[in-house]
Amino acid sequence: MTSRDNAVGAKAYFPGPKSENEAWVRAEFQAILDDWFDWRKSDRTGDPAAISRDDRLSADFLAERERLSQELDTLKTLMRRETATYSPRYAGHMVSELTLPALFGQLTALLHNPNNTSKEVSRVGTVIEAEAIGMLAEMIGYDPATARGHFTSGGTVANFEGVWRARYRLDHWLSLALWIAESSGEPLNVFEAAHMGWTRYAALVKQHAPDPGALRNCSAVAGNPADVFRRLSKAAGHDYLGPVVLVPASKHFSWRKAANVFGLGEEAFWEIGLDDEGRFDIADLERRVTEAEAAARPVLAVVSVAGTTETGEIDPVDRIADRLDQWRAERGWRIWHHVDAAYGGFLCTIPDGPHETVLQPATIAALKAVSRAHSVTIDPHKLGFVPYACGAFLARDADHYTVSVFDAPYLERPQISDDPWTSTLEGSRSAAGATAVWLTGRTIGFAPDRFGALLAGMIRSGDVFRNEVLGGLDGVHVLEPVDANIVCFSLGAPGEALSAANRRTRALYDALCEAGDFVVTTTTLGSVNHRSQIARHIARFDGEADEARLVLIRCVFMNPYWASEAIRDAMVPQFAATIRQALSTLD
Ligand SMILES: *Cc1c(COP(=O)(O)O)cnc(C)c1O
């Protein structure tokens, strides 16, 4: 298939901004309904019906039908005022058009309503979920035969799944070490023990044969944390202040929620600084781990971000994995690495394919290293074009997946039930996200010349916006680098104070909202860790850093129709005119 043919073929995967695919999409919707009704009718054909023809003709029945019909009309009318995120004029949040495979997949499961909490209420849904997880695993470079995972309500919960497991693993190791220290009276090195690894754990269990009940009593997760911390302090001969999680300053706010939910305290989430391109700074990781070791605070996990929520930056996942490998080899430390690829996970379809050049070499290297992490978050409801609510949590293998159960320690894993609820934070879960991803995988497919081509097209749309819309405007500065399909820009006149530039950028945003022709968003980089990135940005207009935050207008280019020439030809000049008009109202 040539890329030209592919571009036309891809038009079969979306409804069309003007409902161009209406006729046959209607037929498919109808076919889904036909099959659903038939499924019910064909089961136990000898059983009686519950609703007779007379019932359906009775006045009471007809009145209720009428009420339902009217209120449904009310709902439909309300929804017509909903944000038109499918529109090529929408470049706001991380949402756009849905694909037809995702919509059909979602709708089909919705009607059958399986609950993936258990195989008893999801005979088919759980099987499809496992296959869809296999597809996502393969996409990011995990071995689909050994990787494990499940769908979540979104990236927030998928990130929690990572913390949950990393915390349990560390707790297993530390509980055993505490038990040994207390029974032998030998001093405890908390930092070493907390990163000991399963091989050493297994050897120690064999050597000391601890009673499982006694181990539970040494666990800060299964036992009493205050008591365990007190005893860890005593065994170590110094105060034990608990583990830390290392997360870059560009993190999503779900990480702060994780601190609250897991009771670690926000203080335990240590921010990793950013380099002047806004990416995870390896030198700061070095400093933070050294600091953690000196404070005898175990590193529960290192988090990197593949596609930051605000600006789409891809952290150097490869170099972070290298550094962790080095600590493992030189010091024996096993540190959990979680990649928050909620936004950027699907970009893993681009490397090693025909469209690879839309990405910078560093981004390609980072995306290819996502598979080196212990666990990964992916949001199909972002760049997977799947309806809400659909996130996914993936672990490299069963060891890293099933670790979140205290009573089934590592060595006795075969005893763990394989019913999904035993290893998911959420209880009842819809199968609809899984079926949507499954049908997407079976049709568009997550190969570089399929899904990769689609996403590469969106990165190119961002470039078109940047070059053809912003390129013609004076005093507009794009935040560099642009790692993905999010283009952020600010205003800035030569020598202007940042506070004044920020005010004008904010006013431009307000004017664009007022005009209402195109939807964009705004973001502010304001952490102390953004300082060097801000300095680098304002140096472009010789700006004066009189305040420590940078206001940006943020445009997410994930509308599939921008790949169409007709749409581009119409949108580019109109977008430029809208911005020019908004700029003219500023002073
Ligand atoms: C969106 C996002 C999340 C949270 O995902 P939800 O699906 O909104 O819960 C987490 N991390 C990153 C990097 C994100 O972009």
Side-chain angles (χ1 to χ4, degrees):
M1 206 188 306
T2 69
S3 71
R4 200 182 154 73
D5 289 339
N6 200 15
V8 175
K11 295 186 178 190
Y13 289 129
F14 295 97
K18 295 289 155 204
S19 302
E20 298 90 304
N21 285 326
E22 176 177 352
W24 67 269
V25 170
R26 251 180 209 284
E28 293 297 352
F29 267 62
Q30 186 65 50
I32 291 168
L33 281 176
D34 289 348
D35 200 70
W36 181 61
F37 283 122
D38 193 58
W39 174 60
R40 311 170 76 104
K41 282 188 279 189
S42 59
D43 184 50
R44 315 276 162 168
T45 47
D47 285 358
I51 308 164
S52 70
R53 188 165 178 277
D54 284 348
D55 289 341
R56 296 197 300 274
L57 294 175
S58 73
D60 282 353
F61 186 99
L62 290 171
E64 294 304 329
R65 236 189 86 174
E66 181 59 24
R67 185 210 296 255
L68 176 56
S69 185
Q70 278 176 9
E71 291 307 318
L72 178 58
D73 277 346
T74 307
L75 178 62
K76 286 186 291 195
T77 307
L78 283 172
M79 291 308 274
R80 288 184 74 114
R81 294 209 301 268
E82 194 47 270
T83 311
T85 49
Y86 69 83
S87 166
R89 291 172 177 273
Y90 185 86
H93 291 283
M94 297 166 147
V95 55
S96 179
E97 183 63 289
L98 299 170
T99 67
L100 290 171
L103 206 51
F104 294 163
Q106 171 101 7
L107 189 61
T108 306
L110 190 67
L111 293 173
H112 291 269
N113 197 33
N115 179 350
N116 278 14
T117 192
S118 156
K119 291 176 178 173
E120 288 176 8
V121 270
S122 181
R123 251 185 295 184
V124 179
T126 46
V127 175
I128 289 186
E129 175 168 27
E131 290 183 14
I133 286 294
M135 293 173 182
L136 295 181
E138 190 172 356
M139 176 182 86
I140 61 164
Y142 275 166
D143 177 354
T146 53
R148 294 284 181 280
H150 61 270
F151 287 88
T152 63
S153 61
T156 299
V157 172
N159 283 342
F160 288 9
E161 295 277 4
V163 175
W164 194 31
R165 284 164 174 76
R167 179 163 174 253
Y168 250 117
R169 188 181 78 158
L170 189 139
D171 181 73
H172 279 306
W173 296 348
L174 209 46
S175 314
L176 177 63
L178 175 60
W179 183 83
I180 293 170
E182 286 186 338
S183 29
S184 69
E186 279 171 27
L188 171 65
N189 181 330
V190 172
F191 196 85
E192 297 290 332
H195 306 113
M196 70 166 75
W198 288 118
T199 310
R200 176 147 178 75
Y201 178 89
L204 289 172
V205 166
K206 201 162 167 218
Q207 186 187 338
H208 298 275
D211 168 60
L215 273 189
R216 176 173 266 276
N217 184 43
C218 293
S219 161
V221 176
N224 180 306
D227 176 51
V228 170
F229 275 35
R230 183 184 55 76
R231 285 157 52 205
L232 281 167
S233 302
K234 187 156 174 258
H238 58 74
D239 285 347
Y240 175 61
L241 296 179
V244 294
V245 182
L246 306 184
V247 280
S250 52
K251 66 183 179 295
H252 184 265
F253 54 70
S254 52
W255 292 103
R256 173 169 300 173
K257 292 181 186 170
N260 300 150
V261 169
F262 287 95
L264 295 163
E266 288 178 22
E267 175 278 340
F269 279 61
W270 287 8
E271 229 175 56
I272 299 286
L274 306 175
D275 62 19
D276 67 356
E277 299 191 317
R279 303 196 192 105
F280 187 113
D281 182 1
I282 304 272
D284 206 43
L285 173 66
E286 200 80 42
R287 278 190 292 275
R288 289 308 223 166
V289 170
T290 306
E291 228 176 293
E293 187 196 8
R297 300 190 63 180
V299 179
L300 188 140
V302 168
V303 176
S304 59
V305 185
T308 62
T309 314
E310 297 312 315
T311 56
E313 269 117 358
I314 313 271
D315 283 339
V317 179
D318 51 326
R319 293 195 290 127
I320 295 163
D322 286 346
R323 191 62 192 97
L324 294 175
D325 281 352
Q326 200 184 335
W327 273 315
R328 181 190 159 106
E330 290 171 3
R331 312 289 304 268
W333 301 340
R334 269 81 174 163
I335 298 177
W336 192 292
H337 182 192
H338 180 86
V339 180
D340 182 357
Y343 185 65
F346 283 91
L347 297 174
C348 290
T349 54
I350 298 179
D352 291 334
H355 305 283
E356 197 185 61
T357 50
V358 298
L359 300 173
Q360 302 159 61
T363 306
I364 295 168
L367 290 171
K368 287 171 79 163
V370 169
S371 58
R372 293 172 64 190
H374 300 92
S375 57
V376 178
T377 289
I378 299 179
D379 257 353
H381 64 208
K382 286 177 179 164
L383 285 180
F385 307 93
V386 163
Y388 295 117
C390 184
F393 171 77
L394 299 176
R396 182 198 285 173
D397 51 37
D399 289 356
H400 292 93
Y401 186 65
T402 52
V403 68
S404 58
V405 189
F406 190 85
D407 283 333
Y410 175 74
L411 299 168
E412 297 160 30
R413 195 170 330 98
Q415 294 174 3
I416 299 172
S417 152
D418 66 349
D419 233 7
W421 65 269
T422 56
S423 40
T424 62
L425 274 177
E426 290 167 284
S428 294
R429 289 179 309 118
S430 166
T435 51
V437 169
W438 185 89
L439 200 54
T440 307
R442 301 268 290 203
T443 53
I444 306 179
F446 302 118
D449 61 338
R450 307 284 297 175
F451 214 86
L454 194 67
L455 293 182
M458 291 163 189
I459 295 175
R460 288 194 193 101
S461 302
D463 288 344
V464 166
F465 172 74
R466 196 179 156 167
N467 298 327
E468 297 177 27
V469 175
L470 300 182
L473 301 168
D474 281 342
V476 167
H477 307 279
V478 172
L479 183 77
E480 305 273 8
V482 180
D483 283 354
N485 55 339
I486 301 179
V487 180
C488 296
F489 65 95
S490 78
L491 300 180
E496 188 175 26
L498 182 54
S499 58
N502 281 340
R503 259 195 308 279
R504 288 199 303 123
T505 305
R506 167 68 60 181
L508 172 62
Y509 171 71
D510 292 340
L512 290 171
C513 290
E514 177 84 3
D517 291 328
F518 288 86
V519 180
V520 299
T521 52
T522 178
T523 187
T524 302
L525 303 185
S527 145
V528 285
N529 280 309
H530 281 112
R531 203 169 286 154
S532 62
Q533 193 186 13
I534 295 174
R536 184 170 181 267
H537 181 75
I538 66 172
R540 308 234 312 271
F541 56 90
D542 225 356
E544 181 207 332
D546 66 334
E547 66 180 6
R549 58 195 199 100
L550 172 66
V551 176
L552 294 161
I553 291 178
R554 169 175 172 272
C555 305
V556 180
F557 281 88
M558 55 185 284
N559 187 277
Y561 307 123
W562 272 69
S564 141
E565 239 168 83
I567 295 289
R568 270 187 202 192
D569 288 353
M571 293 301 134
V572 165
Q574 289 187 52
F575 214 151
T578 298
I579 297 177
R580 200 168 277 123
Q581 170 63 29
L583 283 172
S584 75
T585 65
L586 289 196
D587 13 53

